[in-house]
Amino acid sequence: MIKEKIKSLANQYKSEVIANRRHLHANPELSFHEFETLAFVKEQLSKMGVTDFEVKAETGLVVLIKGNNPEKKVVALRGDMDALPIIEQNDVPYKSTKPGVMHACGHDVHTASLLGAAQILNEVKTEFEGTIKLVFQPGEELIPGGASLMIKDKALENPRPSSIIGQHVMPLIPVGKVGFRKGMYMASADELYITVKGKGGHGAMPETLVDPVLIASHMIVALQQVVSRNASPKIPSVLSFGRIEALGATNIIPNEVKIQGTFRTLNEEWRAKAHQHMISIAKGIVEGMGGEVDFEVRKGYPFLKNAEELTDRAQHAAIDYLGEENVIDLDIWMAAEDFSYYTQEIDGCFYRLGTRNEAKGITSGVHTPTFDIDEDALEIGAGLMAYLAVKELEA
Ligand SMILES: [Zn+2]
Ligand SMILES: [Zn+2]
């Protein structure tokens, strides 16, 4: 049976997948600079005899593994490859050798897992029908997102997959388990840059000034009505401001105040409307209080929707592979992921790989200097991805 074969290959290649992950972890590269990573991926693929690949978006790679009757159906698997500008604080043999750059989001795990899946799928290719397309993408962590560039560079064409499956580490889930969610899963994320312009001067003479600090204060409070009054209670929305800059003093009112924030939601139509609401509230306030406002919305990734039927099939396949007790249902997650660009083009399923191990002290969150994983997750990471692809070809 193909499941048993994939499981045994995943076990057989486990030490190689771990070695690859450690190499990638020790040699991280920032978004859109994944040149050594790309060379490493190509080298590993060539070593396993997988040579049908093409560079996309400069540091990305698309790989084809053809089974019998390769035109019958195409399913894609995606792994991202970039690291973050963080100084690693773990004391491990595979610690980052590049100061200030760290695989703190587990993209080393995703790349190594996808390489492992490639090795497994290449071994069993006479036992499935169709083609599996592997998408190694750059720049997940940085707008405009490597996924959007891969799509522009036709990563989803020739041949076009009917669906795409992506996996991401989750340090909240114990190693050995994975998580799925159908439908709305992750948020769109837009950056807000607001400049409130007034007329500064001596704090003792407010009647001669237009105080941008007071205008900005009203604005921050008023903008929350977008979430509390304008948003449908059925669509999660978050508006947070994390930076206010008013460079005056106790007795100096500055000329301008800068505010930065983030708006996140799970519906593209509402997202566009919310931008307009925010801008018109901000304009209304400066109209009433004087001054001027520049309101820039820097658009980030769209919201991520997991296709219902595809995700249902994948979740059942995962139960079949790992057992019911090891497959959990996920909650909505208000972070963003550029995998969402693929899900706007074709059916997508983005699931979570558990990497936590409290007994070993592996509990740090992603994007922290002490993030690490229990490497037992890699056997599942590689094997399950391969199995999900094969099962989806059969569906
Ligand atoms: Zn990240
Ligand atoms: Zn990530």
Side-chain angles (χ1 to χ4, degrees):
M1 228 174 96
I2 193 136
K3 181 175 76 183
E4 301 312 324
K5 194 152 186 188
I6 287 175
K7 271 191 176 174
S8 110
L9 288 169
N11 183 262
Q12 190 185 324
Y13 297 141
K14 182 182 175 183
S15 57
E16 270 173 71
V17 177
I18 291 176
N20 285 346
R21 182 260 165 169
R22 290 185 172 202
H23 173 88
L24 293 163
H25 193 89
N27 297 280
E29 292 175 294
L30 291 174
S31 308
F32 304 112
H33 292 84
E34 305 89 344
F35 294 100
E36 290 170 23
T37 306
L38 174 65
F40 179 76
V41 166
K42 282 174 55 190
E43 186 192 316
Q44 295 305 312
L45 289 169
S46 303
K47 256 196 226 168
M48 38 177 112
V50 175
T51 51
D52 191 351
F53 52 68
E54 194 185 345
V55 173
K56 296 273 180 195
E58 210 169 344
T59 49
L61 196 73
V62 165
V63 186
L64 294 180
I65 297 177
K66 292 178 178 167
N68 300 318
N69 199 1
E71 263 96 77
K72 194 179 169 195
K73 191 174 180 182
V74 184
V75 170
L77 296 175
R78 174 270 205 169
D80 44 8
M81 305 194 290
D82 56 325
L84 286 160
I86 290 179
I87 301 169
E88 177 155 18
Q89 282 173 15
N90 291 313
D91 190 15
V92 288
Y94 47 89
K95 184 176 179 169
S96 169
T97 57
K98 295 189 181 168
V101 186
M102 176 189 175
H103 268 297
C105 201
H107 299 186
D108 51 341
V109 177
H110 310 159
T111 304
S113 295
L114 196 52
L115 279 171
Q119 195 164 11
I120 295 166
L121 290 166
N122 194 46
E123 294 264 323
V124 300
K125 67 185 171 192
T126 56
E127 292 172 51
F128 62 79
E129 285 192 78
T131 296
I132 293 164
K133 186 175 220 176
L134 311 177
V135 179
F136 290 89
Q137 76 150 76
E140 193 286 321
E141 298 284 3
L142 203 63
I143 289 173
S148 74
L149 302 185
M150 291 295 280
I151 292 166
K152 255 187 211 149
D153 207 6
K154 300 191 171 14
L156 296 184
E157 306 302 327
N158 306 317
R160 185 167 179 86
S162 56
S163 56
I164 185 163
I165 298 169
Q167 138 179 289
H168 200 293
V169 299
M170 175 67 110
L172 295 171
I173 303 177
V175 65
K177 295 184 192 290
V178 294
F180 287 82
R181 183 183 180 86
K182 282 175 268 184
M184 286 196 278
Y185 177 42
M186 289 177 72
S188 60
D190 301 310
E191 295 177 352
L192 310 176
Y193 297 87
I194 308 169
T195 303
V196 179
K197 296 171 186 166
K199 180 171 174 278
H202 201 298
M205 295 183 289
E207 75 280 15
T208 64
L209 313 175
V210 177
D211 182 355
V213 177
L214 186 64
I215 298 171
S217 307
H218 276 281
M219 207 175 273
I220 286 172
V221 174
L223 284 169
Q224 288 302 332
Q225 74 170 275
V226 170
V227 172
S228 68
R229 302 289 85 185
N230 303 128
S232 159
K234 291 170 200 150
I235 306 171
S237 302
V238 176
L239 175 63
S240 295
F241 292 102
R243 187 180 172 93
I244 308 174
E245 185 187 287
L247 299 173
T250 55
N251 55 359
I252 302 167
I253 289 169
N255 280 318
E256 62 176 33
V257 173
K258 289 181 189 289
I259 308 169
Q260 292 180 15
T262 178
F263 177 74
R264 290 154 190 264
T265 189
L266 286 141
N267 177 298
E268 290 301 306
E269 219 174 295
W270 158 240
R271 177 190 183 195
K273 262 191 209 159
H275 295 164
Q276 292 317 312
H277 275 301
M278 288 189 282
I279 291 167
S280 78
I281 288 169
K283 286 200 169 141
I285 286 182
V286 290
E287 212 177 297
M289 298 182 73
E292 282 169 45
V293 64
D294 277 345
F295 200 123
E296 187 198 347
V297 179
R298 234 175 262 174
K299 284 181 83 175
Y301 305 153
F303 92 108
L304 194 160
K305 188 175 176 201
N306 281 325
E308 303 270 349
E309 287 174 14
L310 167 70
T311 306
D312 197 49
R313 287 194 296 271
Q315 185 160 5
H316 279 98
I319 288 171
D320 183 27
Y321 192 85
L322 293 171
E324 186 127 39
E325 68 283 8
N326 291 319
V327 180
I328 63 169
D329 290 318
L330 297 168
D331 222 334
I332 282 173
W333 187 248
M334 293 305 280
E337 218 328 308
D338 80 347
F339 186 81
S340 57
Y341 282 110
Y342 302 116
T343 69
Q344 303 230 316
E345 299 282 321
I346 55 176
D347 280 359
C349 168
F350 191 66
Y351 72 95
R352 295 284 173 171
L353 175 69
T355 55
R356 182 185 191 88
N357 190 328
E358 288 199 33
K360 293 185 190 165
I362 301 169
T363 57
S364 292
V366 291
H367 292 217
T368 69
T370 52
F371 171 74
D372 202 355
I373 64 151
D374 184 322
E375 287 177 324
D376 283 345
L378 286 157
E379 183 177 342
I380 298 171
L384 182 60
M385 273 211 121
Y387 186 60
L388 294 183
V390 168
K391 289 303 276 184
E392 190 50 29
L393 282 180
E394 287 173 6

